[in-house]
PDB file of all heavy atoms in Angstrom:
ATOM      1  N   PHE A  56      -2.117 -10.506  20.148  1.00  0.00           N
ATOM      2  CA  PHE A  56      -1.675 -10.730  18.785  1.00  0.00           C
ATOM      3  C   PHE A  56      -2.870 -10.997  17.872  1.00  0.00           C
ATOM      4  O   PHE A  56      -2.665 -11.268  16.697  1.00  0.00           O
ATOM      5  CB  PHE A  56      -0.648 -11.863  18.629  1.00  0.00           C
ATOM      6  CG  PHE A  56       0.706 -11.416  19.293  1.00  0.00           C
ATOM      7  CD1 PHE A  56       1.006 -12.006  20.443  1.00  0.00           C
ATOM      8  CD2 PHE A  56       1.471 -10.518  18.691  1.00  0.00           C
ATOM      9  CE1 PHE A  56       2.312 -11.704  21.105  1.00  0.00           C
ATOM     10  CE2 PHE A  56       2.679 -10.189  19.321  1.00  0.00           C
ATOM     11  CZ  PHE A  56       3.051 -10.768  20.487  1.00  0.00           C
ATOM     12  N   LEU A  58      -4.983 -13.461  17.607  1.00  0.00           N
ATOM     13  CA  LEU A  58      -4.822 -14.796  17.082  1.00  0.00           C
ATOM     14  C   LEU A  58      -6.248 -15.413  16.736  1.00  0.00           C
ATOM     15  O   LEU A  58      -7.116 -15.222  17.588  1.00  0.00           O
ATOM     16  CB  LEU A  58      -4.024 -15.736  17.935  1.00  0.00           C
ATOM     17  CG  LEU A  58      -2.631 -15.208  18.281  1.00  0.00           C
ATOM     18  CD1 LEU A  58      -1.921 -16.106  19.222  1.00  0.00           C
ATOM     19  CD2 LEU A  58      -1.780 -14.971  17.000  1.00  0.00           C
ATOM     20  N   PHE A  67      -3.570 -18.692  15.156  1.00  0.00           N
ATOM     21  CA  PHE A  67      -2.525 -18.053  14.282  1.00  0.00           C
ATOM     22  C   PHE A  67      -2.972 -16.668  13.819  1.00  0.00           C
ATOM     23  O   PHE A  67      -4.148 -16.231  13.964  1.00  0.00           O
ATOM     24  CB  PHE A  67      -2.230 -18.918  13.042  1.00  0.00           C
ATOM     25  CG  PHE A  67      -3.239 -18.693  11.861  1.00  0.00           C
ATOM     26  CD1 PHE A  67      -2.840 -18.069  10.767  1.00  0.00           C
ATOM     27  CD2 PHE A  67      -4.637 -19.119  12.049  1.00  0.00           C
ATOM     28  CE1 PHE A  67      -3.744 -17.842   9.734  1.00  0.00           C
ATOM     29  CE2 PHE A  67      -5.482 -18.947  10.988  1.00  0.00           C
ATOM     30  CZ  PHE A  67      -5.072 -18.258   9.907  1.00  0.00           C
ATOM     31  N   ARG A  68      -2.041 -15.970  13.221  1.00  0.00           N
ATOM     32  CA  ARG A  68      -2.311 -14.698  12.547  1.00  0.00           C
ATOM     33  C   ARG A  68      -1.128 -14.456  11.641  1.00  0.00           C
ATOM     34  O   ARG A  68       0.065 -14.621  11.983  1.00  0.00           O
ATOM     35  CB  ARG A  68      -2.448 -13.514  13.430  1.00  0.00           C
ATOM     36  CG  ARG A  68      -2.841 -12.258  12.671  1.00  0.00           C
ATOM     37  CD  ARG A  68      -3.184 -11.101  13.563  1.00  0.00           C
ATOM     38  NE  ARG A  68      -2.110 -10.616  14.448  1.00  0.00           N
ATOM     39  CZ  ARG A  68      -1.166  -9.716  14.030  1.00  0.00           C
ATOM     40  NH1 ARG A  68      -1.123  -9.195  12.893  1.00  0.00           N
ATOM     41  NH2 ARG A  68      -0.223  -9.340  14.998  1.00  0.00           N
ATOM     42  N   GLU A  69      -1.465 -14.228  10.322  1.00  0.00           N
ATOM     43  CA  GLU A  69      -0.381 -13.889   9.377  1.00  0.00           C
ATOM     44  C   GLU A  69       0.131 -12.470   9.768  1.00  0.00           C
ATOM     45  O   GLU A  69      -0.620 -11.547   9.996  1.00  0.00           O
ATOM     46  CB  GLU A  69      -0.972 -13.904   8.038  1.00  0.00           C
ATOM     47  CG  GLU A  69       0.089 -13.677   6.934  1.00  0.00           C
ATOM     48  CD  GLU A  69      -0.353 -13.801   5.552  1.00  0.00           C
ATOM     49  OE1 GLU A  69      -0.451 -14.959   5.066  1.00  0.00           O
ATOM     50  OE2 GLU A  69      -0.827 -12.848   4.911  1.00  0.00           O
ATOM     51  N   THR A  70       1.436 -12.382   9.759  1.00  0.00           N
ATOM     52  CA  THR A  70       2.078 -11.099  10.120  1.00  0.00           C
ATOM     53  C   THR A  70       2.827 -10.526   9.002  1.00  0.00           C
ATOM     54  O   THR A  70       3.222  -9.268   9.143  1.00  0.00           O
ATOM     55  CB  THR A  70       3.120 -11.341  11.273  1.00  0.00           C
ATOM     56  OG1 THR A  70       4.040 -12.279  10.969  1.00  0.00           O
ATOM     57  CG2 THR A  70       2.331 -11.758  12.581  1.00  0.00           C
ATOM     58  N   TYR A  71       3.134 -11.297   7.896  1.00  0.00           N
ATOM     59  CA  TYR A  71       3.929 -10.727   6.890  1.00  0.00           C
ATOM     60  C   TYR A  71       3.529 -11.569   5.568  1.00  0.00           C
ATOM     61  O   TYR A  71       3.390 -12.755   5.549  1.00  0.00           O
ATOM     62  CB  TYR A  71       5.419 -10.960   7.064  1.00  0.00           C
ATOM     63  CG  TYR A  71       6.231 -10.613   5.968  1.00  0.00           C
ATOM     64  CD1 TYR A  71       6.460  -9.329   5.589  1.00  0.00           C
ATOM     65  CD2 TYR A  71       6.925 -11.625   5.219  1.00  0.00           C
ATOM     66  CE1 TYR A  71       7.367  -8.937   4.550  1.00  0.00           C
ATOM     67  CE2 TYR A  71       7.835 -11.297   4.245  1.00  0.00           C
ATOM     68  CZ  TYR A  71       8.071  -9.988   3.871  1.00  0.00           C
ATOM     69  OH  TYR A  71       8.824  -9.665   2.777  1.00  0.00           O
ATOM     70  N   ARG A  72       3.402 -10.791   4.549  1.00  0.00           N
ATOM     71  CA  ARG A  72       3.270 -11.387   3.155  1.00  0.00           C
ATOM     72  C   ARG A  72       4.095 -10.510   2.187  1.00  0.00           C
ATOM     73  O   ARG A  72       3.811  -9.356   2.028  1.00  0.00           O
ATOM     74  CB  ARG A  72       1.860 -11.444   2.776  1.00  0.00           C
ATOM     75  CG  ARG A  72       1.572 -12.038   1.408  1.00  0.00           C
ATOM     76  CD  ARG A  72       0.132 -12.357   1.073  1.00  0.00           C
ATOM     77  NE  ARG A  72      -0.290 -13.484   1.947  1.00  0.00           N
ATOM     78  CZ  ARG A  72      -0.225 -14.757   1.560  1.00  0.00           C
ATOM     79  NH1 ARG A  72       0.375 -15.081   0.395  1.00  0.00           N
ATOM     80  NH2 ARG A  72      -0.586 -15.739   2.372  1.00  0.00           N
ATOM     81  N   SER A  73       5.103 -11.041   1.695  1.00  0.00           N
ATOM     82  CA  SER A  73       6.000 -10.317   0.825  1.00  0.00           C
ATOM     83  C   SER A  73       5.345  -9.698  -0.411  1.00  0.00           C
ATOM     84  O   SER A  73       4.500 -10.412  -1.009  1.00  0.00           O
ATOM     85  CB  SER A  73       7.173 -11.226   0.302  1.00  0.00           C
ATOM     86  OG  SER A  73       7.993 -10.509  -0.567  1.00  0.00           O
ATOM     87  N   THR A  90       6.066 -15.711   3.409  1.00  0.00           N
ATOM     88  CA  THR A  90       4.980 -15.248   4.415  1.00  0.00           C
ATOM     89  C   THR A  90       5.417 -15.639   5.777  1.00  0.00           C
ATOM     90  O   THR A  90       6.379 -16.551   5.994  1.00  0.00           O
ATOM     91  CB  THR A  90       3.652 -15.988   4.053  1.00  0.00           C
ATOM     92  OG1 THR A  90       3.911 -17.421   4.151  1.00  0.00           O
ATOM     93  CG2 THR A  90       3.104 -15.529   2.835  1.00  0.00           C
ATOM     94  N   ALA A  91       4.808 -15.032   6.757  1.00  0.00           N
ATOM     95  CA  ALA A  91       5.112 -15.394   8.148  1.00  0.00           C
ATOM     96  C   ALA A  91       3.853 -15.299   8.980  1.00  0.00           C
ATOM     97  O   ALA A  91       2.998 -14.498   8.755  1.00  0.00           O
ATOM     98  CB  ALA A  91       6.209 -14.505   8.714  1.00  0.00           C
ATOM     99  N   ILE A  92       3.774 -16.134  10.106  1.00  0.00           N
ATOM    100  CA  ILE A  92       2.604 -16.180  11.012  1.00  0.00           C
ATOM    101  C   ILE A  92       3.214 -16.304  12.464  1.00  0.00           C
ATOM    102  O   ILE A  92       4.226 -16.792  12.682  1.00  0.00           O
ATOM    103  CB  ILE A  92       1.660 -17.253  10.743  1.00  0.00           C
ATOM    104  CG1 ILE A  92       2.318 -18.709  10.955  1.00  0.00           C
ATOM    105  CG2 ILE A  92       1.028 -17.217   9.319  1.00  0.00           C
ATOM    106  CD1 ILE A  92       1.291 -19.855  11.060  1.00  0.00           C
ATOM    107  N   TYR A  93       2.351 -15.842  13.379  1.00  0.00           N
ATOM    108  CA  TYR A  93       2.525 -16.275  14.806  1.00  0.00           C
ATOM    109  C   TYR A  93       1.577 -17.497  14.857  1.00  0.00           C
ATOM    110  O   TYR A  93       0.546 -17.630  14.258  1.00  0.00           O
ATOM    111  CB  TYR A  93       1.947 -15.256  15.705  1.00  0.00           C
ATOM    112  CG  TYR A  93       2.698 -13.917  15.961  1.00  0.00           C
ATOM    113  CD1 TYR A  93       2.138 -12.753  15.813  1.00  0.00           C
ATOM    114  CD2 TYR A  93       4.052 -14.090  16.269  1.00  0.00           C
ATOM    115  CE1 TYR A  93       2.874 -11.646  15.967  1.00  0.00           C
ATOM    116  CE2 TYR A  93       4.765 -12.922  16.518  1.00  0.00           C
ATOM    117  CZ  TYR A  93       4.260 -11.711  16.274  1.00  0.00           C
ATOM    118  OH  TYR A  93       4.961 -10.603  16.477  1.00  0.00           O
ATOM    119  N   TYR A  94       2.040 -18.502  15.717  1.00  0.00           N
ATOM    120  CA  TYR A  94       1.273 -19.772  15.844  1.00  0.00           C
ATOM    121  C   TYR A  94       1.400 -20.156  17.343  1.00  0.00           C
ATOM    122  O   TYR A  94       2.420 -20.233  17.806  1.00  0.00           O
ATOM    123  CB  TYR A  94       1.808 -20.792  14.985  1.00  0.00           C
ATOM    124  CG  TYR A  94       0.964 -22.072  14.980  1.00  0.00           C
ATOM    125  CD1 TYR A  94      -0.279 -22.115  14.557  1.00  0.00           C
ATOM    126  CD2 TYR A  94       1.578 -23.314  15.405  1.00  0.00           C
ATOM    127  CE1 TYR A  94      -1.004 -23.268  14.727  1.00  0.00           C
ATOM    128  CE2 TYR A  94       0.940 -24.486  15.471  1.00  0.00           C
ATOM    129  CZ  TYR A  94      -0.444 -24.494  15.117  1.00  0.00           C
ATOM    130  OH  TYR A  94      -1.142 -25.651  15.135  1.00  0.00           O
ATOM    131  N   TYR A 116       9.357 -18.595  20.232  1.00  0.00           N
ATOM    132  CA  TYR A 116       9.304 -17.232  20.843  1.00  0.00           C
ATOM    133  C   TYR A 116       9.038 -17.373  22.352  1.00  0.00           C
ATOM    134  O   TYR A 116       9.703 -16.611  23.109  1.00  0.00           O
ATOM    135  CB  TYR A 116       8.137 -16.482  20.243  1.00  0.00           C
ATOM    136  CG  TYR A 116       8.322 -16.066  18.761  1.00  0.00           C
ATOM    137  CD1 TYR A 116       7.318 -16.188  17.897  1.00  0.00           C
ATOM    138  CD2 TYR A 116       9.555 -15.641  18.217  1.00  0.00           C
ATOM    139  CE1 TYR A 116       7.380 -15.933  16.476  1.00  0.00           C
ATOM    140  CE2 TYR A 116       9.717 -15.429  16.922  1.00  0.00           C
ATOM    141  CZ  TYR A 116       8.656 -15.556  16.071  1.00  0.00           C
ATOM    142  OH  TYR A 116       8.738 -15.243  14.756  1.00  0.00           O
ATOM    143  N   VAL A 171       5.052 -19.697  18.697  1.00  0.00           N
ATOM    144  CA  VAL A 171       6.180 -19.945  17.659  1.00  0.00           C
ATOM    145  C   VAL A 171       5.769 -19.074  16.474  1.00  0.00           C
ATOM    146  O   VAL A 171       4.718 -18.450  16.376  1.00  0.00           O
ATOM    147  CB  VAL A 171       6.300 -21.346  17.255  1.00  0.00           C
ATOM    148  CG1 VAL A 171       6.698 -22.248  18.436  1.00  0.00           C
ATOM    149  CG2 VAL A 171       5.067 -21.916  16.640  1.00  0.00           C
ATOM    150  N   GLY A 172       6.716 -18.958  15.575  1.00  0.00           N
ATOM    151  CA  GLY A 172       6.454 -18.342  14.271  1.00  0.00           C
ATOM    152  C   GLY A 172       6.839 -19.291  13.209  1.00  0.00           C
ATOM    153  O   GLY A 172       7.593 -20.224  13.391  1.00  0.00           O
ATOM    154  N   CYS A 173       6.208 -19.140  12.031  1.00  0.00           N
ATOM    155  CA  CYS A 173       6.477 -20.060  10.972  1.00  0.00           C
ATOM    156  C   CYS A 173       6.638 -19.090   9.742  1.00  0.00           C
ATOM    157  O   CYS A 173       5.813 -18.288   9.381  1.00  0.00           O
ATOM    158  CB  CYS A 173       5.323 -20.957  10.681  1.00  0.00           C
ATOM    159  SG  CYS A 173       4.925 -22.079  11.990  1.00  0.00           S
ATOM    160  N   THR A 174       7.831 -19.316   9.061  1.00  0.00           N
ATOM    161  CA  THR A 174       8.100 -18.483   7.895  1.00  0.00           C
ATOM    162  C   THR A 174       8.135 -19.516   6.702  1.00  0.00           C
ATOM    163  O   THR A 174       8.794 -20.531   6.857  1.00  0.00           O
ATOM    164  CB  THR A 174       9.479 -17.799   8.027  1.00  0.00           C
ATOM    165  OG1 THR A 174       9.442 -16.967   9.240  1.00  0.00           O
ATOM    166  CG2 THR A 174       9.829 -16.947   6.793  1.00  0.00           C
TER     167      THR A 174
END
Side-chain angles (χ1 to χ4, degrees):
F56 293 110
L58 303 177
F67 83 110
R68 183 171 63 88
E69 186 173 275
T70 58
Y71 173 74
R72 181 167 288 272
S73 175
T90 56
I92 65 169
Y93 287 128
Y94 184 61
Y116 296 136
V171 299
C173 298
T174 303

